[in-house]
Amino acid sequence: MEKFDVTIIGSGPGGYVSAIRCAQLGLKVAIIERYNTLGGTCLNVGCIPSKAWLEASEHYYKLKHQFENFGIDVKEANVDILKMNQRVQDVVQEIINGVDYLMKKNKVAVYQGHGTIKDKNTIEIKGGDKTETITTDKIIIATGSKPASLPNIKIDKKRIISSTEALALQEIPKHLMVVGGGVIGVEIGSVFARLGSKVSIVEYFDSLIATMDGALGHQLHRSLRKQGIDFYLEHKVTNATATEDKVELKAENLSDKEEMSLDGDYCLMAIGRKPYTASLGLENIGVETNEKGQITVDKNLETNVKGVYAIGDVIRGAMLAHKASEEGVFVAESIAGQKPHINYSLIPNIVYTQPEVAGVGLTEEELKKTNRSIKTGSFPYKANARAKISMDTDGFIKVI
């Protein structure tokens, strides 16, 4: 039975970055991944493929709608969705290969299989018909999250889909209905709108990307509406029914309670994600979770069980890859006896639509709730020479 100083369950950005930092600090490290490839949701079915799709669709959109204004005449532009999809998968595989290389370079032991905590120093790993057991001084839980849905709507992965299926579609939807106007909804919605789909986004709140500064959400709404996306803000989705080739979506207007319905060939559930902690054996050692299913941690990201830590999407805070990575480094350095620090207000939020949206620090709305005295200033891109040259005049820079 092999013994390690630190064992990390989950190989997403938080997990593999933490493994590398632990190894750099002289610790003997193992990482456990239940899927066939390293990288977790972000590399395999999240951040990386979505950004690759966004990049490809933006090139097509500019070719079709903007190049003529630059004096570039293109007779015809067509999308080969299968070729586009293949390039996305090639990019993903290259980055996964890079993570594999980093694990080997830093002498991190990689175990493929589902890890279950038997006690705070013992983990059982089941992969196929093989079962192994390892021992460890410290455990870092970095298992990430999975797509969430509404209680009465089941993701069938065929017509009612999550971001995972949306990023692997082999056809351009005729009408993509998106439930949720957060980051995932607007990014994937904008991909297919640019490729020619009719896109309808249904959002419960009165603005998009509700966790970011309100001015950003309102500007993004205007920009995406100009690109042809339909929005139904302040609508509560009540049902979605799928047949073999279409989905009927029903929603209720929150102000007048009037019901509306939409028909499309795909419905993307993009209402957020929930922590993935199933069958990890948390109950075997008494690790506490909250009402959202998140693992409870202290300021050092240690659970109520000494020597067991949790990072990334399974704990409080924004579900961001770079937040998980910061926490991974923080825990690695803490275990090694250093005194690291994370300033969460310096972790940016980014939406890779066109225009892109980014914010760092507390929002104006958050600051007003604390009764802080603030001043704001903004500058529109339409008054910026560089923005005019590149025809990127939507949006502004705002400083609080």
Side-chain angles (χ1 to χ4, degrees):
M1 190 184 298
E2 194 156 9
K3 187 177 189 307
F4 295 92
D5 297 320
V6 181
T7 298
I8 300 159
I9 306 176
S11 70
Y16 78 74
V17 168
S18 188
I20 292 168
R21 189 66 185 127
C22 284
Q24 289 172 341
L25 293 167
L27 300 167
K28 186 179 179 182
V29 189
I31 194 164
I32 301 168
E33 174 53 57
R34 71 193 298 263
Y35 293 107
N36 295 327
T37 54
L38 299 179
T41 293
C42 178
L43 271 61
N44 288 272
V45 293
C47 322
I48 301 304
S50 65
K51 305 309 166 279
W53 275 110
L54 283 156
E55 185 75 13
S57 64
E58 186 180 333
H59 286 316
Y60 174 69
Y61 185 84
K62 286 188 171 182
L63 179 67
K64 204 164 175 67
H65 299 281
Q66 293 184 357
F67 275 24
E68 188 179 353
N69 296 324
F70 284 101
I72 302 169
D73 187 16
V74 179
K75 297 299 181 191
E76 192 174 351
N78 296 300
V79 173
D80 184 335
I81 192 72
L82 298 179
K83 193 170 184 180
M84 197 177 278
N85 197 330
Q86 186 56 55
R87 181 186 177 272
V88 171
Q89 300 313 315
D90 290 344
V91 169
V92 169
Q93 191 57 55
E94 284 180 29
I95 296 173
I96 289 169
N97 291 344
V99 175
D100 287 338
Y101 167 76
L102 289 171
M103 294 301 100
K104 292 184 178 75
K105 179 185 176 185
N106 289 280
K107 298 181 173 57
V108 175
V110 176
Y111 289 88
Q112 301 284 162
H114 183 88
T116 303
I117 301 168
K118 292 301 180 183
D119 61 52
K120 68 178 197 149
N121 300 112
T122 310
I123 302 174
E124 182 183 83
I125 306 158
K126 285 188 177 180
D129 55 3
K130 181 181 178 185
T131 301
E132 299 177 81
T133 302
I134 61 173
T135 60
T136 184
D137 287 337
K138 311 286 185 187
I139 295 173
I140 303 174
I141 301 167
T143 43
S145 60
K146 60 182 180 179
S149 187
L150 295 171
N152 58 330
I153 299 176
K154 186 180 188 304
I155 295 173
D156 63 17
K157 302 185 179 182
K158 294 174 183 174
R159 292 293 165 185
I160 301 175
I161 59 176
S162 71
S163 56
T164 301
E165 295 78 42
L167 295 170
L169 284 176
Q170 302 289 304
E171 64 177 357
I172 300 171
K174 297 179 185 67
H175 182 193
L176 175 66
M177 301 173 296
V178 181
V179 180
V183 177
I184 295 170
V186 295
E187 284 190 350
I188 295 178
S190 68
V191 164
F192 289 106
R194 294 196 292 233
L195 294 179
S197 300
K198 174 181 169 62
V199 175
S200 302
I201 295 180
V202 185
E203 167 57 46
Y204 185 85
F205 293 109
D206 62 356
S207 69
L208 302 179
I209 52 173
T211 58
M212 297 181 72
D213 195 280
L216 296 177
H218 293 306
Q219 174 62 60
L220 183 62
H221 182 202
R222 287 196 295 269
S223 298
L224 294 181
R225 196 169 52 193
K226 282 195 293 186
Q227 293 173 31
I229 296 179
D230 293 331
F231 290 95
Y232 299 88
L233 301 182
E234 293 188 278
H235 276 73
K236 176 185 177 181
V237 171
T238 54
N239 198 16
T241 308
T243 60
E244 189 175 334
D245 58 358
K246 74 168 194 170
V247 182
E248 182 183 25
L249 182 73
K250 291 186 182 295
E252 180 183 89
N253 188 314
L254 293 178
S255 58
D256 60 17
K257 304 302 179 185
E258 186 176 335
E259 188 176 76
M260 56 154 274
S261 66
L262 297 170
D263 287 327
D265 46 345
Y266 290 97
C267 176
L268 168 64
M269 298 302 297
I271 63 164
R273 300 178 64 84
K274 55 186 178 183
Y276 182 83
T277 55
S279 306
L280 292 182
L282 301 184
E283 66 284 354
N284 294 337
I285 56 173
V287 169
E288 292 176 359
T289 57
N290 64 18
E291 69 283 355
K292 295 180 180 178
Q294 298 165 325
I295 295 173
T296 305
V297 292
D298 62 16
K299 64 180 181 179
N300 298 315
L301 305 184
E302 191 170 21
T303 69
N304 60 302
V305 180
K306 192 164 180 59
V308 179
Y309 300 79
I311 61 173
D313 289 3
V314 294
I315 67 168
R316 64 187 181 231
M319 291 184 171
L320 298 169
H322 44 290
K323 178 249 194 191
S325 299
E326 286 289 312
E327 291 173 339
V329 171
F330 176 89
V331 170
E333 293 178 352
S334 296
I335 289 171
Q338 297 184 6
K339 303 287 185 186
H341 175 69
I342 296 179
N343 185 345
Y344 283 100
S345 69
L346 294 182
I347 295 175
N349 277 301
I350 309 154
V351 187
Y352 292 89
T353 47
Q354 179 61 25
E356 291 188 354
V357 184
V360 64
L362 294 173
T363 67
E364 183 174 346
E365 291 79 11
E366 288 169 334
L367 287 166
K368 282 179 176 176
K369 285 179 182 176
T370 65
N371 295 317
R372 295 270 293 279
S373 176
I374 64 170
K375 289 184 179 180
T376 66
S378 65
F379 185 89
Y381 282 135
K382 63 185 177 185
N384 178 271
R386 182 67 183 87
K388 284 182 179 293
I389 290 165
S390 61
M391 289 181 63
D392 293 319
T393 54
D394 271 6
F396 56 88
I397 292 176
K398 174 179 175 179
V399 178
I400 303 172

